[in-house]
Amino acid sequence: MTDDNLHYDGLLSNLLMFTGINIPARARFVVQCTASGVYSSLIVGLVAGQTGAALLSCGPVVPFMTGCWLGHSWGCLSYWRQSKMRAMNCARRYPKILAHSLLVDFDIEVPTNVHVVNNTSSCSAEEESGKVIAKAEKFDHEKTTLEQWILDGGVGRLSFAILAAQSCTEDVIELQKSERKKLVDAYSQSTEG
C-alpha cells in the first residue's frame, strides 16, 4: 500500500484527530463508509442525470436515480476494499500491533499456532537478507501467518481486523515516521561522510 493510501483516512477523520477527539473504530468506519457512499452517489448520479437529460429521451430522473444507486454501491465497496487492504497490510507488516489491538479492543485472542512476527524492519539490505534466511529456517510450517488466519476466519474475523487496524492506525503512522527518520538520518550521514 502506498503512503498516500495509508495516510488517507478521510477529511473528517483528519479534522477529528487534529482536535484530539477520540472516536471508536466502529463509528469511524460507519461515518467514512457513509461519506464515501454519499459522495460517489452524488457524483455518479449527477453525471448520469445530466447524460440522461442531454442524450436520452427518458429525462434526467431515472438515470439520476440509477446513477445514485450504482454510485453508492461502488463507493461503499471501494471503501471496504481500501479498509481490507489497510488491515491486511497491517497484519503483514505490524502483526504484533494488530494482534494486540484485536485483544484489547475486541477481546479476540490470536491462537498460539499463528505466527505473529514483524516481517519488516529498518535495517540494511545485507542484514535483512540474513534475517530472512534465518527466519525461513526457524519458521515452523505448522504455524500460519496472522494475515492468513484473518482471511481463513471469514467475514466476521476480517471485519474485526479492519476495525482493529483502524484503532491502531495512529501507532502505525508513528512507527513509519520513526522508520523514515532513521532512513533519512542514515542517508544524510552517508552523504556527509
Side-chain angles (χ1 to χ4, degrees):
M1 179 183 313
T2 64
D3 278 343
D4 293 338
N5 287 339
L6 183 64
H7 293 294
Y8 174 76
D9 208 11
L11 179 62
L12 180 62
S13 181
N14 288 338
L15 289 173
L16 291 173
M17 283 188 341
F18 178 71
T19 61
I21 297 173
N22 188 14
I23 295 182
R26 292 177 186 175
R28 197 173 352 169
F29 182 85
V30 168
V31 168
Q32 290 173 343
C33 186
T34 302
S36 175
V38 167
Y39 178 74
S40 60
S41 173
L42 284 174
I43 297 299
V44 175
L46 289 173
V47 168
Q50 286 294 79
T51 303
L55 301 177
L56 303 175
S57 62
C58 65
V61 175
V62 173
F64 172 76
M65 291 185 335
T66 305
C68 284
W69 169 56
L70 292 173
H72 188 270
S73 299
W74 178 67
C76 289
L77 289 174
S78 295
Y79 186 72
W80 171 263
R81 256 194 346 249
Q82 178 188 5
S83 297
K84 178 183 174 185
M85 188 170 44
R86 183 182 301 133
M88 293 299 101
N89 185 43
C90 189
R92 192 176 314 112
R93 296 186 67 202
Y94 307 102
K96 287 183 180 181
I97 296 173
L98 187 64
H100 182 264
S101 183
L102 281 168
L103 180 63
V104 170
D105 295 336
F106 305 108
D107 201 29
I108 297 174
E109 190 168 350
V110 177
T112 56
N113 68 331
V114 176
H115 189 66
V116 183
V117 174
N118 290 351
N119 295 336
T120 61
S121 63
S122 58
C123 54
S124 68
E126 294 82 17
E127 291 174 304
E128 186 66 32
S129 63
K131 284 185 178 182
V132 168
I133 292 169
K135 279 184 187 177
E137 292 170 354
K138 290 181 186 177
F139 186 73
D140 184 6
H141 292 289
E142 296 294 320
K143 292 190 173 192
T144 183
T145 62
L146 181 62
E147 181 180 13
Q148 191 60 44
W149 178 75
I150 290 169
L151 292 174
D152 290 344
V155 175
R157 197 177 292 163
L158 179 61
S159 297
F160 280 111
I162 287 171
L163 295 176
Q166 284 193 348
S167 293
C168 64
T169 297
E170 293 171 17
D171 300 326
V172 168
I173 289 172
E174 285 179 32
L175 280 173
Q176 289 176 339
K177 285 181 180 179
S178 68
E179 288 174 359
R180 182 173 293 159
K181 182 168 178 13
K182 288 178 187 177
L183 290 172
V184 169
D185 290 345
Y187 180 75
S188 64
Q189 289 175 359
S190 68
T191 57
E192 289 174 2

